[in-house]
Amino acid sequence: VAWNPAQGLHLLTATNDDRDPVLRLWDVRSSTTNPLAEFRGHTSGIFSVSWCPADPSFAISCGKDNKTIFWDLYANRPVVEIY
């Protein structure tokens, strides 16, 4: 779980489940059952996620698949994948 450093009402969650490794973006003001967005790119569970402290439109995640993915949260896509 990582809270948006620029605004405390958005958070990212990551699943460690190898069957469904997904990042989810939540706005706790609007819904706690439906995420704003889902980000898929890992093939195994996700260990950690962190917001970019300089630009809250970006985040980074690391997974069991030995990938580190830099995400553009506004475009809903990975920008860079490092193996």
Side-chain angles (χ1 to χ4, degrees), residues 2 48 50 65:
S48 66
S50 181
D65 55 4

Side-chain angles (χ1 to χ4, degrees), residues 2 6-10 15 17 20 33 40 46-47 53 68 71-72:
Q7 182 203 82
L9 298 173
H10 289 154
T15 61
D17 184 355
D20 189 26
T33 56
R40 297 180 188 276
I46 301 167
F47 284 132
T68 299
W71 299 93
D72 182 334

Side-chain angles (χ1 to χ4, degrees), residues 12-70:
L12 284 169
T13 59
T15 61
N16 194 25
D17 184 355
D18 290 339
R19 293 169 292 157
D20 189 26
V22 62
L23 291 175
R24 290 186 176 98
L25 174 62
W26 303 87
D27 182 338
V28 296
R29 293 172 298 185
S30 61
S31 177
T32 57
T33 56
N34 296 313
L36 291 175
E38 291 189 344
F39 305 91
R40 297 180 188 276
H42 288 282
T43 57
S44 296
I46 301 167
F47 284 132
S48 66
V49 62
S50 181
W51 291 86
C52 175
D55 187 341
S57 66
F58 296 107
I60 194 165
S61 62
C62 302
K64 293 181 195 177
D65 55 4
N66 295 318
K67 281 198 261 184
T68 299
I69 302 177
F70 186 67

